[in-house]
Amino acid sequence: MNTRQSSFNYEEILNCGRGKMFGPGNAQLPLPPMLMFHRITDISATGGEYGKGYIRAEFDVTPDLWFFACHFEGDPVMPGCLGLDALWQMTGFFLGWLGEEGKGRAISVGEVKLTGMITPETKLVEFGVDYKRVLSGRLVLGTGDGWAKADGESAYKAKDLRVGLFKEKAE
C-alpha cells in the first residue's frame, strides 16, 4: 500500500530546500526568497487531468514581498516568470517525491499564457500541475500542464512544462 505523504507544510518544504528531504544529490527546492509556494496542499501519483498524477500548492501574498518594490515602481505586479518558476519547482518536487534520483532542472515549457495579475492586493495564489508523462530510467523527465489562480481567478496557464533530474557524474 502506498503511504507517501500527500501534503507538506512550510517547514517541511524548507527542509526540502535544505536538502534534507530526498537525500544528497537529489531534488531540492530553492530557499526563500526564490521558493514560490508556502505549502503543498495535495500531491498524488495518480489522478489529475491525464491520470498520471498531480500536485497543488499555495502561496500567501503580502504587500511587502520583495518583487513588488521593484516590479514595477508605482505599478507593482508579481513577475510572470516567478509564477512559471513555481510550476517548475513543483514538478521537480513531484519527481523527488516519486523517489526518482538526481538534481532537478527546468528544461522547457511549450506555451505560457498570462491571463491575470498577482498584485499586492491579492491574498492567495493557488498553483497546480497535472502530469502527462513521467519518464523514469537513465533519463528522468516530468512533463505536465500547469496553472495559477489569484484569489480564485485564472492568472497563468502553462503547457508542456518539462523538468529533468540529473545525476552528478562520477569522477
Side-chain angles (χ1 to χ4, degrees), residues 2-34:
N2 186 349
T3 60
R4 282 189 199 123
Q5 188 171 335
S6 63
S7 62
F8 295 84
N9 65 35
Y10 190 60
E11 190 57 40
E12 290 168 321
I13 290 169
L14 289 177
N15 279 332
C16 182
R18 295 176 186 121
K20 296 179 180 178
M21 187 172 285
F22 302 126
N26 291 320
Q28 186 174 340
L29 289 167
L31 291 170
M34 286 306 299

Side-chain angles (χ1 to χ4, degrees), residues 45-94:
T46 59
E49 186 175 346
Y50 306 102
K52 307 277 184 177
Y54 66 88
I55 187 171
R56 304 291 184 258
E58 294 177 341
F59 181 68
D60 299 317
V61 180
T62 58
D64 62 346
L65 287 167
W66 66 273
F67 46 79
F68 287 137
C70 57
H71 191 268
F72 297 95
E73 187 173 342
D75 184 22
V77 63
M78 180 173 145
C81 60
L82 293 180
L84 179 59
D85 201 62
L87 301 172
W88 277 324
Q89 290 174 23
M90 292 163 59
T91 299
F93 183 93
F94 181 79

Side-chain angles (χ1 to χ4, degrees), residues 19-149:
K20 296 179 180 178
M21 187 172 285
F22 302 126
N26 291 320
Q28 186 174 340
L29 289 167
L31 291 170
M34 286 306 299
L35 177 61
M36 294 310 303
F37 48 89
H38 292 110
R39 66 203 143 268
I40 294 171
T41 58
D42 197 13
I43 184 170
S44 176
T46 59
E49 186 175 346
Y50 306 102
K52 307 277 184 177
Y54 66 88
I55 187 171
R56 304 291 184 258
E58 294 177 341
F59 181 68
D60 299 317
V61 180
T62 58
D64 62 346
L65 287 167
W66 66 273
F67 46 79
F68 287 137
C70 57
H71 191 268
F72 297 95
E73 187 173 342
D75 184 22
V77 63
M78 180 173 145
C81 60
L82 293 180
L84 179 59
D85 201 62
L87 301 172
W88 277 324
Q89 290 174 23
M90 292 163 59
T91 299
F93 183 93
F94 181 79
L95 295 172
W97 176 81
L98 288 174
E100 300 294 345
E101 295 181 345
K103 291 185 177 185
R105 297 292 184 261
I107 295 175
S108 65
V109 63
E111 179 181 308
V112 177
K113 289 187 180 183
L114 305 176
T115 57
M117 292 187 295
I118 298 164
T119 67
E121 290 76 34
T122 304
K123 300 297 181 214
L124 181 70
V125 179
E126 300 167 89
F127 292 107
V129 181
D130 293 296
Y131 297 97
K132 296 176 166 181
R133 186 174 187 180
V134 175
L135 293 175
S136 179
R138 214 174 79 184
L139 171 67
V140 175
L141 178 71
T143 303
D145 290 346
W147 51 265
K149 293 180 182 179

